[in-house]
Amino acid sequence: MKTNYPEYAQLLETRLTPKRYKHSLNVMERAVELARIHGADTDKAELAGLVHDIEKNTTPKILLQTIEKSGILLSDADLFSPQLWHATAGFLYARDVLHIADPDVLNAIRYHTTGRADMSLLEKVVYLADLTSADREYSDVREMRNLADVDLDAAMFYDMQYIIGDLVKHGKLLHPDTLACYHQIALERARRAER
Ligand SMILES: [Fe+2]
Ligand SMILES: [Fe+2]
């Protein structure tokens, strides 16, 4: 797979399992595709998509140390959600080690797992590229892909409905950023329906 960031691809190959490395390339490709469709910056989408999981195969202990050292305060929801740490640590790695300065690229990495309120176009593109990349397999992945091609907000909403329902059903923690993301999209939809 061709990339404008071969040095980052090389680095990722040393840091990630083969499966996760392949996933990163797939997300990069899908992010460029979604950026093209929806008019986001394709170069930023390529970079954020490629790098988003750079800390995915780092041990939880190291991730927590990295985050704590950075001065980012972890809420209780963060502390008890180790599956989210790679996104925050990935953002720090991109900023502090790779010296990526673009705030939109950095936020797309940081919020690729939780989502958040007021996501930018690029953040939605990367979030949905992660869910609809070529390596993803789940029952309605085809619907998700079609929806993301047509309407990013509708795809975000569809995903939020599913993951929040699933988290609650299994008695898991629901991160405030995810809830805020859901709430904002639901509110926009309610306002639109009223008009
Ligand atoms: Fe991730
Ligand atoms: Fe990912």
Side-chain angles (χ1 to χ4, degrees), residues 96-108:
D96 301 339
V97 182
L98 304 181
H99 303 294
I100 293 172
D102 188 280
D104 209 12
V105 170
L106 293 174
N107 284 332

Side-chain angles (χ1 to χ4, degrees), residues 20 23 52-54 56 83-84 86-87 109 112-113 130 136:
R20 185 58 53 177
H23 165 73
H52 81 286
D53 269 344
I54 193 156
K56 184 71 179 183
Q83 76 281 9
L84 306 178
H86 79 280
I109 298 167
H112 84 261
T113 317
D130 191 23
R136 290 292 193 192

